Amino acid sequence: MSINSIKLISWNIKGISNKVKRYKVLSHLRSLSCDVAMLQEVHVKETEVMKLRQRWVGQVFSSPGNGAILIISGYLQNQKCTLVNIYAPNTGQIDFLSSLTVVLPKFAGDPILVGGDFNMTGDPLLDRSKRPLPSDRALSAAFTEFKNTLALTDVWRTLNPMTREYSFYSKVHNSYSRIDFLLLPKELLENVIDSQIHRIIISDHAPVPESIVKDLLCPRGNVGWEYLAYTCII
């Protein structure tokens, strides 16, 4: 982490119950100077979640059961904000987004930072290595409506309007796609100093990090977190 920034990373790790894999994931996050990690498909029992809290890892929160969304309200330094970690279903994504547009406005008084595996592309023409799927147009339209409703922006795409990079590899279809996102309020766009898609490693997804200028988002103090609440949608 740069002294002047906070790095958030979203990463579908496709299981972390194996001790060796857990060590690799945590070590890689540390090598990326991660401050806040939004992990999906952790696949550990609720009683085992604290195994993630090792050495440099601080607080750990999880959704019970097979929750598709984890909402944490708290503080990054002195700025209250809401972190939303999403793992969207493989089907019914439009209904899922509709549910989110009902839930998330309850937290709209503070900046909302959304990360996760949405299981859909934002732009089918740019976000797939092969031709778009029949469902892509409707899903892309729903994703755009979701972002507009909550005044969120896909920072990586905004900074790379015509670039083709992918966050997920499907072995079954031998294809790549960009289905993992970090979405920030539009007013925070000028605070972003870096947005990347790292190489696909350990999992079949790539870590997706963004660095935000600390002095603008979080005026003073050390990176900290005060847990307030979570909501889980099954």
Side-chain angles (χ1 to χ4, degrees), residues 6 20 26 37-38 46 60 100 105-106 128 138-139 146 148 153 182 189 197 224-225 231:
I6 292 174
V20 174
L26 293 175
M38 300 179 178
E46 193 172 357
V60 178
L100 284 179
K106 299 176 183 178
R128 289 197 185 278
L139 292 177
F146 167 75
N148 291 340
T153 184
L182 272 171
L189 180 60
I197 298 176
W225 190 255
T231 300

Side-chain angles (χ1 to χ4, degrees), residues 124-125 128-134 136:
L125 296 178
R128 289 197 185 278
S129 61
K130 295 185 176 181
R131 66 177 57 187
L133 301 178
D136 276 346

